[in-house]
Amino acid sequence: TLKIVKSNDLIVVEVYSQPAPVVSIIEEDICQILGIQLGDLNTNLPFCVSSVGSPKLLIPIISIDILTKLCPNFVAICNWSHSNYVNGFYVYAEKLSGEQKHFVARGFNPKAGHNEDAATGVAAAALCACLKANITIEQGYVIDKPSKISVHYNNESILVGGKVKEGSDDSKIILLGND
């Protein structure tokens, strides 16, 4: 069951870590798809497939600057995702900000019909599951749709959410970027 709590402009969803496909990840191939060098990967953070229901390839980058300048090959991401039963790439970089882990991310899932997500809660939750820690994710700035996702790790579940507003067509909820 999916538990959703909405209070005023805050929405939180409770999710659980799920089995992810076992994938052979060739770092050189992933770097080529993203247009980066091997040295641009952050070897201190998880580089793996993780899932809370929609498997994502988590790719750690050493800097926000490199993350912002990415020009990925969307056809190659789509092909890799199909071949490996994964729903896109979640590329992230650490942002130093006190005790809680804070990241900036970009979610690429052309397999779903759009190249980049403004906010990818399932990917943020998958990263939280790998780190086993509370995290904050900033996303969507490159596509001018900033969002901020708060993710809280509990031993049994993961709470993911943030401040929201209804979209212009009243069928979408938009995650807001400001505190």
Side-chain angles (χ1 to χ4, degrees):
T1 56
L2 184 64
K3 182 178 177 183
I4 301 172
V5 177
K6 185 171 189 264
S7 174
N8 298 324
D9 63 348
L10 180 68
I11 192 165
V12 176
V13 178
E14 183 178 43
V15 296
Y16 299 87
S17 185
Q18 303 287 321
V22 177
V23 174
S24 175
I25 302 168
I26 301 170
E27 293 177 351
E28 292 85 357
D29 291 350
I30 301 304
C31 288
Q32 184 177 15
I33 291 169
L34 294 174
I36 61 173
Q37 303 298 314
L38 270 175
D40 295 334
L41 297 173
N42 185 333
T43 58
N44 296 316
L45 292 168
F47 185 175
C48 62
V49 174
S50 181
S51 180
V52 296
S54 177
K56 304 290 183 187
L57 176 61
L58 308 177
I59 307 166
I61 301 296
I62 60 171
S63 77
I64 294 169
D65 185 54
I66 292 169
L67 178 71
T68 301
K69 293 177 181 174
L70 286 178
C71 293
N73 179 330
F74 295 113
V75 171
I77 291 173
C78 192
N79 291 338
W80 193 95
S81 296
H82 274 293
S83 297
N84 292 283
Y85 307 100
V86 170
N87 296 323
F89 288 12
Y90 197 62
V91 189
Y92 66 100
E94 199 164 18
K95 181 176 182 178
L96 301 177
S97 68
E99 290 183 27
Q100 182 167 334
K101 294 187 179 297
H102 195 133
F103 300 94
V104 176
R106 295 181 69 188
F108 304 116
N109 190 7
K111 181 175 145 182
H114 53 278
N115 289 335
E116 186 164 354
D117 294 326
T120 317
V122 293
L127 178 58
C128 175
C130 284
L131 295 170
K132 295 181 174 27
N134 296 340
I135 63 173
T136 299
I137 300 281
E138 294 178 30
Q139 189 177 335
Y141 290 91
V142 173
I143 58 172
D144 294 322
K145 295 179 181 178
S147 66
K148 191 174 202 178
I149 306 168
S150 296
V151 192
H152 298 278
Y153 179 80
N154 298 318
N155 288 333
E156 295 182 12
S157 67
I158 297 162
L159 302 173
V160 57
K163 292 183 180 182
V164 297
K165 70 175 183 176
E166 287 190 29
S168 58
D169 64 4
D170 293 330
S171 67
K172 295 182 179 178
I173 296 177
I174 299 169
L175 203 57
L176 302 175
N178 43 355
D179 293 316

